[in-house]
Amino acid sequence: ARDGFEVNRLQAYIFSVVEKIYTSNAQCRAFFGSRRNPGHLLGEGETFFLPAFADTLEALAREGEDLFYRGDIAHAVAEACRTGGGLLCASDLAGYQVELRQPLEVHNRDVRLLTNPPPSTGGILIAFALELLKGSGMAAMGFGSAAHLELLARTMDLTNRARVESRLHENDADDHADTMLDPRFLETYRREILGRPTATHGTTHISVIDARGNAAALTASNGEGSGYLVPDTGIMMNNLLGEEDINPHGFHQWPPDTRMCSMMAPTLVVFDDDAVAAMGSGGSNRIRTAILQVLLNLLEFDMGVHDAVESPRIHFENDLLSVEAGFNAADVEAVARQFPRVETWEERNLFFGGVHSVLAHPCGGRFEGAGDPRRGGVAMTV
């Protein structure tokens, strides 16, 4: 951080997207300002220096987590909230505890799926969609066919609606998660799929498998920048309470002492031959649909990890069908006639998530990996 790094094209794009936030105050302008073009944000090819953040990382390495939760950083955050109208106080940070939870486990298509449990909603929505699609004959439709894309979009639509009807979108998601996988609830939505009714941000992921077959999937999110830097730390606070998918009821509505939900869904898949895969994605609302499509590519279309990740995707939400480049134009045109609003993308785009995935085969210790190019992913075997 102290030596700086050269800003690449993706980073420059991200800077441009959030330009209004970062130019909203003098502190942010100085932090993200261009040395080459004063008065503008950093551009591609410039070097981005973070000396204050480098000092903070060194201090954290020396002093440990207490610096953030109980020390100088905690006091700075609490004081900023006190003077600026925020709600966090020192006791909130000092009292924070990590909770260890049992994964949500479901069995589907002869595999065991282990994913993020409530209060996160992403994992259970992926499991719900997979259950809806059992027995649908998707594999026979062929990947990218009009029938495949329409069924996939209808499933995404019904998953969104089921999320509301099960009340999973509310703050107390733990209390309503069982409804989503209740057989009677599933059967209602499965019938609706078969009837073909008319249709009425800053997250990253790493997947690792070692030589012994131990697998880990880790997703972390900063959301986007809020425009506020904790003084003298180089830390910009995030905007997660401003994300509709996480906080659907808006500002100042979150109940005290309630864990935030999330769409993040780090996922492990254990196959019947003891092969194991690890995957996850960034992409806010698109996390669940991106992971769902990679899973279906592996399980229904028998793709390898590379093809499963690289294949084009769709996303359906709020009556808008978004279609990534790469599908047959005639199939896209046929599907477009079935939906009120369709948006086609001319290239592969980070909008459709970034499902970084690895898979280990038990025979011969063979590994496969794919870093999703939509979000700058890489895969390495060491």
Side-chain angles (χ1 to χ4, degrees):
R2 184 172 290 109
D3 293 336
F5 63 87
E6 184 175 306
V7 176
N8 64 28
R9 181 182 177 188
L10 175 60
Q11 290 157 343
Y13 168 75
I14 293 171
F15 286 147
S16 69
V17 169
V18 294
E19 182 170 8
K20 291 183 180 178
I21 295 176
Y22 293 145
T23 56
S24 62
N25 60 63
Q27 192 178 23
C28 290
R29 284 196 296 272
F31 196 67
F32 292 98
S34 169
R35 300 184 181 187
R36 183 187 301 169
N37 299 302
H40 296 82
L41 287 177
L42 285 157
E44 183 179 354
E46 293 191 64
T47 302
F48 185 27
F49 293 94
L50 297 161
F53 188 54
D55 292 342
T56 298
L57 292 176
E58 288 184 349
L60 282 168
R62 289 194 309 269
E63 302 180 36
E65 64 187 37
D66 275 358
L67 175 63
F68 185 89
Y69 290 104
R70 299 171 184 83
D72 291 344
I73 297 177
H75 293 307
V77 172
E79 178 62 16
C81 287
R82 187 187 69 81
T83 58
L87 300 177
L88 278 177
C89 60
S91 62
D92 292 318
L93 292 165
Y96 178 77
Q97 295 290 325
V98 173
E99 288 195 18
L100 298 178
R101 301 180 187 273
Q102 288 296 315
L104 174 67
E105 181 174 341
V106 294
H107 294 261
N108 190 291
R109 296 166 175 79
D110 298 324
V111 303
R112 191 158 57 100
L113 193 73
L114 301 158
T115 189
N116 207 9
S120 174
T121 58
I124 198 166
L125 292 171
I126 292 169
F128 178 83
L130 286 172
E131 288 294 315
L132 283 180
L133 289 167
K134 272 186 176 178
S136 65
M138 177 176 282
M141 297 175 185
F143 177 84
S145 67
H148 163 231
L149 296 180
E150 182 177 354
L151 177 60
L152 192 56
R154 302 280 186 208
T155 304
M156 292 176 184
D157 180 31
L158 291 175
T159 303
N160 289 333
R161 288 160 53 187
R163 182 187 181 198
V164 175
E165 292 193 13
S166 69
R167 299 175 64 190
L168 193 68
H169 69 302
E170 298 185 0
N171 296 330
D172 55 347
D174 273 307
D175 296 336
H176 306 293
D178 288 345
T179 303
M180 288 288 289
L181 297 180
D182 179 86
R184 290 172 297 179
F185 190 78
L186 278 161
E187 183 57 30
T188 299
Y189 277 83
R190 189 176 287 114
R191 286 198 307 268
E192 198 161 349
I193 282 184
L194 294 175
R196 293 288 195 275
T198 303
T200 54
H201 290 306
T203 305
T204 190
H205 179 85
I206 183 171
S207 299
V208 179
I209 298 180
D210 70 12
R212 296 181 178 179
N214 299 307
L218 170 67
T219 311
S221 181
N222 294 323
E224 293 176 355
S226 66
Y228 174 77
L229 287 158
V230 180
D232 304 319
T233 65
I235 296 174
M236 176 172 284
M237 304 300 284
N238 66 43
N239 72 334
L240 290 180
L241 282 173
E243 292 192 10
E244 180 183 6
D245 195 57
I246 293 176
N247 186 18
H249 301 293
F251 291 118
H252 306 296
Q253 302 297 317
W254 194 265
D257 302 320
T258 301
R259 292 262 168 171
M260 291 185 70
C261 64
S262 167
M263 196 55 66
M264 294 186 288
T267 298
L268 302 181
V269 184
V270 182
F271 296 83
D272 57 359
D273 63 354
D274 292 329
V276 61
M279 67 185 67
S281 180
S284 188
N285 284 355
R286 281 89 58 201
I287 289 175
R288 63 181 186 267
T289 57
I291 296 174
L292 171 66
Q293 288 170 90
V294 171
L295 285 170
L296 291 170
N297 290 345
L298 290 171
L299 304 178
E300 290 282 352
F301 298 111
D302 199 28
M303 295 184 188
V305 169
H306 180 270
D307 289 342
V309 169
E310 293 265 350
S311 295
R313 298 176 192 146
I314 67 171
H315 179 74
F316 187 82
E317 186 176 6
N318 296 327
D319 290 332
L320 174 64
L321 176 62
S322 299
V323 182
E324 194 175 29
F327 293 107
N328 178 274
D331 289 316
V332 173
E333 183 178 344
V335 171
R337 290 194 291 268
Q338 307 301 317
F339 294 90
R341 294 192 298 146
V342 177
E343 176 183 47
T344 57
W345 296 65
E346 295 182 356
E347 58 185 16
R348 191 163 46 191
N349 193 278
L350 57 81
F351 172 84
F352 294 92
V355 188
H356 310 311
S357 309
V358 290
L359 189 151
H361 298 271
C363 300
R366 184 167 60 89
F367 292 87
E368 294 181 60
D372 199 323
R374 297 167 180 86
R375 289 182 175 243
V378 296
M380 298 176 62
T381 303
V382 294

